[in-house]
Amino acid sequence: MKLELGNFYVKDVKFGDTTAYANGILTINKDEALAYVMEDEHITEADIVIARPGENKRIVPVKEAVEPRCRVNGNPVFPGVTGGMTPAGNGRTHALKNTSVLAVGKHWGSFGDGMIDMSGEGADLTYFSKLINVCLVANTDEEFERYEQQKKNKALRWGAMRLSEYLGNAVKEMEPEEIEEFELQPIIKRDEKIKALPAVVYVMQPQSQMEESGYNDLVYGWDANRMVPTFMNPNEILDGAIISGSFMPCSSKWSTYDMQNCPTIKELYKAHGETINFLGVIMSNLNVAMEQKERAAAFVAQMAKSLGADGAILAEEGYGNPDADFIACFDALEDVGVKTVGITNECTGRDGQSQPLVVLSEKANAIVSCGNVSQLIKLPPMEEVIGELAALGRDGLAGGWEGDEKLGPSVREDGSVILENNSMFCGDQVLGWSQKTMKEY
């Protein structure tokens, strides 16, 4: 399985008469793009707004991020989701780099939505401030969940994926500025030099705890709640086989963009054949009942051992109840002799004094922390809000509130905000490109 990612590096995005890419400039025919998005009858009104790094703009409520791409052979970028079921991870895919399509609620937010500041102190708290963001700001007719804290946000999330495919098609017939190649030989057919290196597997635990369909991450369009751990080629993850869900406090979330560009997978590829033998990805999940958690952990450990893994990197999407899955998997891997390093965030309270994970284990003695979800953040007002700032406190975003006896409301009259890290869009970056560090006092 060989994946070629043909990259086009976007320097700016503007509106014009034709959707096209030339000399680093992505031009969007806004009317045509919106007409394409609004073929979905559930999107009742929509606009496209551009937000560039350094601009005095705040974006909220952000529901999803997607990298604009197209498959050169015409297959859907997200098989089983935006088109029929076709294999991912093989062949040529073109990507517009340095940019993302954001799904943004025009009015209504939900528990799993977040905020992005394009400049100032808040820009350091999310990777997406570094990108040129094409914001699909829309409203829908999904009245059944308008006043629910947990929303599926299907129309908007699917709209962002479809818009990303529309934009990606601008470079379908063009020659890329760069081609990244990703290829792993079958495990049993690798040369002796590679086989002699420490064998490492990457274990991913995407969010899948909601038993009702529509909230969880999808694997080839299949709800991750309905699956047991399975072995995947890492190319599949980089090539659209997995899309993000709508359920998870937002700093912990893995957006679709994150999975399309998973830094941990790319780093493992770089080390493959040099310092490690990268076996591939065990795609696990997160569960609710202890029996389900233990079953998934047993599947992961058996698979890692059968593949011949010496070590594993284990990453969870979330915190709280998912910590039990994370530690169960950690223990199971260590019990079969697979040395494991975990990557996760912590929930240590606003004062930083609480136990970092709901469940701990002496075997989990190598964990990379990506930050405290409850850390309080105060940010000044911005000149422009894309979306609706009131959603941060009004609609139950994980890190916002309408009122607090000591702190007052999250959204102040002057447009400044106080919130928990929970609300920073994909801020903890458990998939590998967090810029946070720790200080010892």
Side-chain angles (χ1 to χ4, degrees):
M1 184 175 281
K2 181 179 179 180
L3 173 65
E4 293 182 337
L5 283 181
N7 297 326
F8 299 79
Y9 286 88
V10 178
K11 298 174 184 176
D12 197 9
V13 179
K14 64 180 184 179
F15 296 115
D17 294 333
T18 304
T19 297
Y21 175 84
N23 302 316
I25 308 299
L26 175 63
T27 303
I28 303 173
N29 180 323
K30 183 192 275 195
D31 291 341
E32 184 179 272
L34 286 173
Y36 182 72
V37 168
M38 293 190 71
E39 288 176 4
D40 182 346
E41 62 184 11
H42 297 292
I43 296 179
T44 56
E45 54 180 327
D47 193 11
I48 297 174
V49 183
I50 299 167
R52 301 172 181 84
E55 292 183 338
N56 203 306
K57 294 180 180 180
R58 175 166 289 154
I59 314 169
V60 63
V62 184
K63 302 171 183 297
E64 171 67 300
V66 187
E67 183 169 75
R69 292 186 176 186
C70 72
R71 290 193 199 280
V72 174
N73 66 5
N75 286 347
V77 174
F78 304 104
V81 179
T82 56
M85 176 58 215
T86 57
N90 198 45
R92 174 78 68 88
T93 294
H94 285 178
L96 290 164
K97 310 303 288 186
N98 299 330
T99 187
S100 79
V101 174
L102 299 181
V104 183
K106 185 171 182 179
H107 298 297
W108 302 99
S110 64
F111 181 74
D113 297 352
M115 188 179 86
I116 298 169
D117 276 3
M118 297 303 295
S119 62
E121 180 184 345
D124 292 332
L125 302 175
T126 171
Y127 177 82
F128 292 89
S129 64
K130 301 174 178 64
L131 303 176
I132 302 171
N133 293 303
V134 178
C135 304
L136 174 62
V137 187
N139 211 352
T140 77
D141 66 358
E142 295 162 317
E143 296 293 332
F144 69 94
E145 64 179 12
R146 171 140 305 170
Y147 299 104
E148 297 290 333
Q149 185 181 23
Q150 293 283 4
K151 295 181 176 67
K152 297 179 181 180
N153 292 317
K154 180 176 180 179
L156 258 173
R157 293 191 293 125
W158 262 243
M161 285 185 282
R162 294 182 69 245
L163 179 57
S164 74
E165 289 185 327
Y166 167 85
L167 297 176
N169 278 322
V171 294
K172 183 177 180 180
E173 306 297 335
M174 298 178 67
E175 189 62 29
E177 297 158 20
E178 172 194 65
I179 296 178
E180 293 181 278
E181 294 184 354
F182 301 93
E183 184 177 20
L184 288 179
Q185 295 299 317
I187 293 171
I188 62 172
K189 294 184 178 180
R190 296 177 185 178
D191 64 42
E192 295 304 316
K193 176 190 172 184
I194 293 177
K195 289 181 180 179
L197 296 171
V200 176
V201 70
Y202 184 31
V203 181
M204 301 177 71
Q205 295 178 306
Q207 183 50 235
S208 57
Q209 289 190 295
M210 296 294 279
E211 294 186 350
E212 181 180 340
S213 294
Y215 297 97
N216 298 316
D217 293 10
L218 301 181
V219 181
Y220 283 110
W222 186 256
D223 193 316
N225 181 266
R226 308 290 192 265
M227 61 179 275
V228 294
T230 189
F231 182 69
M232 295 184 71
N233 189 295
N235 293 6
E236 296 177 278
I237 289 88
L238 296 176
D239 198 32
I242 303 181
I243 68 160
S244 178
S246 66
F247 169 69
M248 185 37 58
C250 203
S251 72
S252 304
K253 181 183 287 189
W254 302 349
S255 73
T256 299
Y257 182 100
D258 293 322
M259 288 182 272
Q260 290 173 298
N261 293 277
C262 181
T264 300
I265 287 178
K266 290 189 174 184
E267 287 299 315
L268 288 167
Y269 255 115
K270 289 178 184 178
H272 178 67
E274 299 294 331
T275 57
I276 65 167
N277 177 8
F278 180 27
L279 300 176
V281 175
I282 297 176
M283 187 59 61
S284 187
N285 56 6
L286 298 169
N287 301 280
V288 177
M290 281 306 301
E291 179 187 357
Q292 297 167 348
K293 298 174 188 290
E294 291 165 357
R295 181 184 298 111
F299 266 102
V300 168
Q302 176 276 125
M303 211 174 301
K305 190 67 174 178
S306 298
L307 290 167
D310 300 303
I313 296 175
L314 171 66
E316 68 164 326
E317 184 184 8
Y319 67 92
N321 186 285
D323 293 342
D325 302 75
F326 180 70
I327 294 299
C329 203
F330 217 121
D331 283 351
L333 286 164
E334 290 281 343
D335 285 344
V336 297
V338 179
K339 295 297 181 183
T340 302
V341 175
I343 308 177
T344 186
N345 51 15
E346 306 175 40
C347 184
T348 56
R350 291 175 179 175
D351 61 1
Q353 298 297 307
S354 299
Q355 179 172 301
L357 304 179
V358 169
V359 180
L360 298 174
S361 169
E362 291 184 357
K363 297 171 186 174
N365 58 7
I367 296 178
V368 178
S369 171
C370 298
N372 174 19
V373 299
S374 302
Q375 178 185 351
L376 277 177
I377 299 166
K378 296 180 181 179
L379 297 172
M382 303 294 272
E383 290 180 2
E384 180 180 347
V385 174
I386 299 173
E388 186 166 276
L389 186 58
L392 174 63
R394 181 193 65 210
D395 297 337
L397 274 68
W401 55 86
E402 281 198 279
D404 183 281
E405 290 183 0
K406 295 182 179 180
L407 300 173
S410 278
V411 180
R412 309 301 171 86
E413 290 185 4
D414 65 352
S416 62
V417 295
I418 180 170
L419 67 161
E420 291 182 353
N421 175 47
N422 264 315
S423 279
M424 300 309 299
F425 184 74
C426 300
D428 293 334
Q429 294 294 352
V430 171
L431 288 187
W433 45 26
S434 173
Q435 62 182 18
K436 296 179 182 178
T437 187
M438 302 181 74
K439 291 184 179 180
E440 185 173 350
Y441 294 93

